[in-house]
Amino acid sequence: MAAADTSTFSRLVGLAPALTVLLLVAPVVAGLAGAAAPAFGWLPVLGGEQLSLAPWVSLANTPGLFEMLVLSFTTGLISTALALTIVVLFLGAFADSTAFVWLKRLLSPLLAVPHAAAAIGLAFLLAPSGLAMRLVSPALSGHATPPDYLFPGDPFGLALIAGLVVKEVPFLLLMSLSALPQCQADDRRHLALSLGYSPVTAFLKAVLPSLYPLIRLPVYAVIAFASSNVDVAMILGPSTPPTLAVSVVRWLGDPDLSMRFMASAAALSQLGITLLALACWWCLEQAVRWCATPRLTDGRRNSGQRLGSLLGGGLTWLSVTLLGASLLGLTLWSLAAFWPFPSAWPTPLTLANWGRALPGLLPAALDTLWLALAATALATILVIGCLESEALNHRSMGASATLVLYLPLLVPPVAFLYGLVQLQAQLSVAPGFMVVVLGHCLFVLPYVFLSLAESYRRLDPRWAQVAAGLGHGPAAAFVRVRLPLLLAPIATAAAVGVAVSAGQYLPTLLLGAGRLTTLTTEAVSLASGGDRRLTAVYALAQLLLPALGFALAIGLPRVLHSHRRALLT
Amino acid sequence: MSQTPDTRCHLPPTSPANPTGALVFDRVVISLDGAPLVSLNAQVAPGEVVSVMGPSGVGKSTLLAYAAGFLAPAFDAQGEVRLGDRRVTDLPASARRLGLLFQDALLFPHLSVAGNLAFGMPSSASRRERREAIEEALADIGLAGFGERDPATLSGGQRARVALMRTLLSRPQAMLLDEPFSKLDAALRQEMRDLVFQRIRDHRLPALLVTHDRADAEAAAGPIVELAAATEAPAGAAWQGARRASR
């Protein structure tokens, strides 16, 4: 442009991308370094002043290490493969149906359910004395007392896989839905249908080969999450031995401080196991591509149609139903007084559990709220700054920027957060609110960005041009035109941010050094105890906050723009 | 923002503004990746409409984007655009005072009709002056009492008229028209052409019209510049057309 724009606004906006990169990259790199040093014996605070391999030797001698590694690896890969299969088959089988429209509407609320709440709900639903067994007992199952099977916590991690799948399906579905328009999915599908292909086959052969590269990073993020998460694995995973990530957190909390050397080595191993899972997935990709490419053009019109539509429909509704039934079960438990086994409905219903929980619930809810608001505000401002800077400079970020955005989602949090805690101790930064806010931001910012970028980039640039033609500079065009036009997507992105922050377990626990109690940390620690009623109350409270956020995000633009029809569709 | 004395706000929207001089495209050459795409050398007198014609993809709109200050960084531009004695290409887009009309009316959906008109008015005017000017402008285009309406409830022709008034109320010193009639249906199109060109003459504004519809250019009754596709006829051909316009 001939006239360089050097207003304060443009300069401020220009800072946003650099700040964002710094915020996302610096903690991950510093955290990994902070975990690497003690893993090789270097931790002066605890007297480790010599490089040694001793931490690795003691890790290798830990009983059950191999099982832990295998468990993390298999649950990560299997749950991702299942979730991706479900999403792909569903998209293929139901693209034009009303079921599709319905699921799209359900997607945001499903995504807002925090992982821990979903896991607790699933545990209560499928446990031997859970709601599902009560519904078929004693009439169908013949059990008058709870049957004897291990759930959650089965040694193969099946409960853990189920818990991961029900939360990954909505995420992958959302990412696919936003990628579909970019590969002209509808046109291609309709073309293939007109050439005589059945719906699922049309999708698999004409759309999927272009769709998959667009959702590859989200899939990798899912693998990284599934192979290294802590809260779901604590609630649903086996305990002897647990997954590696859970062990790392346990060793870190061990009163014997010398355990921290071994914990560091384990944290690095977690990074290794996640990278191994990613590498295996990449090999799988290549194998599938090698096998499938010749079949794309073999002219068969019905490949995978019957099985695909059956599985796609069945499994999607199964995972949605599981999540829905889990929430119903949580609600019943939170209102139950006395609820003996085979009865499916607790009588009487009472609010006593809520009343009992209230003194602890309120401060935890407030802490969760403030954390979520602070992290979301910071993340949203930075994201809008980045996108506005794109708009002002007429160029969008490259592939490397996307990778930066995904960095905190691809590196196992347990590996770098743990290193950050070590650094925090060495630099004597007091753990507390601000540190935790920054920690939440690492995970909130990518989701806010992913949620907002599409709408921001699609906004017609002529709106700002009209404003400039009428004499308004970039700042006024931003405040008076772009922000109001984008109010709804910004509100939704902020609600996503609140939901992500409210669901964070590990950053709150580690960076807050246990001093910050949120609904999620309470729910997770209650889940390992025996009080189902109290746990259900916390899990529901944990869910209410994000739900409230989404309700506001949907309602607020409707109220503010109630007389502006074009903005309500 | 502008060097001319600001007497704009007290003028009713339809009275002729001070003519500010000609809009000059002085040896403007826009190139993409080093290859010349489009060029124009033209002088547009106050009250005159120069029409730039050519097939789509020839870079007609790129010329307007350059003049208005929205040229994408992928393009390179040489030459300059002057408005009277001001070199507008040195100014930020918001200080150029070039009124734009697009294919779409682009009424801000979050503002009322009156809000849209007020958006472009100078902030120096008092609240009462602004309200009166808006009411007068609405009456002027047959939309008296439409101020509080949601733009989404207007017909296509009503929206086009509001968009024209919004631009005129911002007291531009020249007009850039980017196919402004192409999305209107045939009956409406003639009506809007008459209205827009009449106002441009009344206000003695120099105007550059980009169009692929010969009827637009004929209705504008000004010089016509034919642009050819750069691949078929390189820069020279476009220059030839430009000379016809600069007379």
Side-chain angles (χ1 to χ4, degrees):
Chain A
M1 228 192 268
D5 183 29
T6 52
S7 63
T8 321
F9 174 75
S10 314
R11 262 179 279 146
L12 274 179
V13 165
L15 282 178
L19 274 177
T20 305
V21 170
L22 188 73
L23 182 78
L24 294 181
V25 176
V28 176
V29 173
L32 286 180
F40 293 97
W42 186 262
L43 189 59
V45 184
L46 294 180
E49 293 180 340
Q50 265 186 342
L51 293 185
S52 82
L53 288 175
W56 293 94
V57 174
S58 53
L59 177 65
N61 290 332
T62 305
L65 176 72
F66 184 69
E67 285 88 343
M68 294 179 197
L69 292 173
V70 170
L71 198 60
S72 295
F73 179 82
T74 49
T75 51
L77 278 188
I78 293 174
S79 65
T80 309
L82 269 175
L84 184 64
T85 310
I86 292 174
V87 167
V88 164
L89 292 181
F90 177 78
L91 287 176
F94 293 93
D96 282 329
S97 67
T98 39
F100 194 68
V101 180
W102 269 100
L103 200 71
K104 257 187 181 170
R105 282 191 200 140
L106 276 174
L107 213 50
S108 289
L110 288 183
L111 268 173
V113 179
H115 281 96
I120 293 171
L122 202 65
F124 287 7
L125 178 70
L126 297 180
S129 61
L131 187 62
M133 189 50 76
R134 286 163 188 263
L135 285 175
V136 296
S137 296
L140 293 173
S141 70
H143 291 293
T145 52
D148 185 23
Y149 62 86
L150 194 55
F151 189 105
D154 60 290
F156 302 108
L158 297 180
L160 174 55
I161 291 175
L164 291 170
V165 169
V166 294
K167 274 300 292 169
E168 284 163 5
V169 164
F171 174 66
L172 286 179
L173 203 52
L174 182 77
M175 299 318 284
S176 306
L177 286 178
S178 64
L180 281 175
Q182 288 178 57
C183 45
Q184 302 105 29
D186 282 340
D187 293 347
R188 290 178 180 211
R189 228 165 25 77
H190 293 153
L191 179 75
L193 288 176
S194 73
L195 293 172
Y197 284 83
S198 335
V200 175
T201 320
F203 181 82
L204 293 179
K205 290 189 173 181
V207 181
L208 188 60
S210 308
L211 175 67
Y212 185 73
L214 295 176
I215 58 165
R216 179 181 274 134
L217 268 180
V219 169
Y220 285 9
V222 165
I223 296 173
F225 174 82
S227 63
S228 71
N229 81 90
V230 172
D231 41 351
V232 183
M234 271 184 169
I235 298 164
L236 292 175
S239 49
T240 47
T243 63
L244 186 65
V246 173
S247 300
V248 173
V249 174
R250 293 220 174 119
W251 291 331
L252 179 62
D254 200 294
D256 177 7
L257 291 179
S258 63
M259 288 291 274
R260 298 203 170 186
F261 291 97
M262 194 182 88
S264 298
L268 282 193
S269 310
Q270 176 63 60
L271 177 64
I273 204 78
T274 297
L275 288 179
L276 185 68
L278 288 172
C280 273
W281 185 269
W282 185 85
C283 292
L284 262 171
E285 277 177 12
Q286 302 309 311
V288 168
R289 187 211 303 247
W290 188 77
C291 292
T293 305
R295 303 195 178 196
L296 290 180
T297 49
D298 65 2
R300 294 190 186 198
R301 283 2 189 207
N302 295 308
S303 331
Q305 171 64 28
R306 287 258 303 273
L307 189 66
S309 56
L310 212 67
L311 284 179
L315 291 176
T316 309
W317 289 114
L318 182 65
S319 55
V320 171
T321 311
L322 276 180
L323 204 49
S326 302
L327 301 185
L328 181 70
L330 280 182
T331 315
L332 289 181
W333 273 112
S334 82
L335 298 174
F338 177 61
W339 195 7
F341 172 64
S343 78
W345 191 264
T347 41
L349 294 178
T350 164
L351 282 173
N353 300 320
W354 287 87
R356 183 162 58 101
L358 213 56
L361 196 64
L362 269 182
L366 281 180
D367 273 358
T368 313
L369 183 68
W370 295 135
L371 274 176
L373 288 182
T376 303
L378 182 58
T380 310
I381 288 170
L382 283 175
V383 165
I384 292 179
C386 288
L387 292 167
E388 182 67 15
S389 149
E390 270 192 7
L392 288 184
N393 298 319
H394 304 274
R395 49 174 77 91
S396 60
M397 304 181 185
S400 54
T402 317
L403 206 60
V404 166
L405 212 55
Y406 271 94
L407 191 67
L409 307 183
L410 290 175
V411 177
V414 74
F416 72 86
L417 282 177
Y418 173 60
L420 276 183
V421 174
Q422 305 285 11
L423 279 182
Q424 203 180 356
Q426 281 184 12
L427 303 174
S428 42
V429 179
F433 188 77
M434 272 324 290
V435 185
V436 178
V437 167
L438 288 176
H440 279 206
C441 241
L442 277 172
F443 306 98
V444 169
L445 198 144
Y447 285 103
V448 171
F449 194 101
L450 293 174
S451 160
L452 186 56
E454 176 91 356
S455 315
Y456 213 101
R457 290 175 179 155
R458 253 200 340 234
L459 188 72
D460 194 334
R462 292 180 303 170
W463 291 122
Q465 296 179 0
V466 169
L470 295 172
H472 293 285
F478 171 69
V479 174
R480 295 179 57 182
V481 178
R482 252 205 264 272
L483 277 188
L485 288 182
L486 289 166
L487 179 66
I490 290 174
T492 307
V496 169
V498 167
V500 171
S501 167
Q504 290 298 320
Y505 173 69
L506 205 54
T508 321
L509 184 76
L510 293 185
L511 297 174
R515 289 182 211 172
L516 265 161
T517 307
T518 64
L519 294 173
T520 302
T521 59
E522 280 297 271
V524 173
S525 64
L526 280 171
S528 61
D531 194 337
R532 278 197 179 172
R533 293 165 184 80
L534 199 58
T535 313
V537 168
Y538 270 89
L540 279 179
Q542 195 202 357
L543 200 146
L544 280 178
L545 191 67
L548 208 66
F550 275 101
L552 268 179
I554 294 168
L556 198 66
R558 281 174 190 272
V559 172
L560 289 179
H561 290 152
S562 57
H563 302 298
R564 301 287 172 257
R565 214 170 61 189
L567 288 175
L568 292 183
T569 45
Chain B
M1 294 228 299
S2 85
Q3 288 97 337
T4 49
D6 192 338
T7 54
R8 313 172 264 166
C9 56
H10 305 296
L11 290 166
T14 44
S15 72
N18 286 335
T20 50
L23 178 66
V24 181
F25 283 72
D26 191 356
R27 282 163 297 174
V28 171
V29 181
I30 298 172
S31 38
L32 183 59
D33 301 327
L37 177 73
V38 62
S39 47
L40 183 65
N41 198 25
Q43 181 162 359
V44 190
E48 183 182 53
V49 181
V50 170
S51 303
V52 175
M53 293 203 57
S56 55
V58 77
K60 302 187 297 285
S61 295
T62 315
L63 272 176
L64 286 199
Y66 173 60
F70 311 123
L71 194 62
F75 294 97
D76 280 318
Q78 289 163 359
E80 61 182 39
V81 178
R82 286 194 305 273
L83 188 53
D85 51 4
R86 288 194 304 147
R87 283 174 23 161
V88 292
T89 30
D90 289 346
L91 298 171
S94 56
R96 295 188 180 193
R97 310 226 6 225
L98 300 169
L100 301 172
L101 284 183
F102 294 95
Q103 270 184 7
D104 303 289
L106 294 176
L107 298 183
F108 295 120
H110 59 296
L111 301 175
S112 64
V113 168
N116 266 280
L117 294 176
F119 188 89
M121 293 174 68
S123 54
S124 53
S126 74
R127 185 187 292 256
R128 195 174 53 86
E129 283 170 334
R130 291 154 77 85
R131 206 184 52 231
E132 283 170 7
I134 288 167
E135 278 168 12
E136 199 174 333
L138 283 173
D140 186 29
I141 50 172
L143 293 176
F146 274 60
E148 288 317 306
R149 288 278 287 268
D150 179 357
T153 62
L154 301 190
S155 72
Q158 290 170 332
R159 280 180 219 182
R161 279 181 276 160
V162 174
L164 171 66
M165 268 306 153
R166 179 176 66 178
T167 305
L168 290 178
L169 280 175
S170 78
R171 293 288 154 191
Q173 297 182 336
M175 294 283 277
L176 300 174
L177 315 172
D178 191 355
E179 309 247 12
F181 315 115
S182 64
K183 283 201 178 166
L184 301 173
D185 57 47
L188 211 53
R189 198 175 296 168
Q190 193 51 47
E191 193 187 315
M192 271 312 287
R193 278 184 195 129
D194 293 344
L195 183 66
V196 169
F197 296 139
Q198 186 57 48
R199 293 306 152 100
I200 285 173
R201 280 193 289 275
D202 290 350
H203 287 256
R204 298 201 37 75
L205 293 171
L208 192 76
L209 167 71
V210 153
T211 183
H212 65 269
D213 184 349
R214 185 155 296 275
D216 283 351
E218 280 161 6
I224 298 175
V225 181
E226 299 271 4
L227 294 179
T231 45
E232 295 161 22
W239 277 100
Q240 209 163 18
R243 252 180 256 124
R244 256 171 60 199
S246 53
R247 289 183 297 189

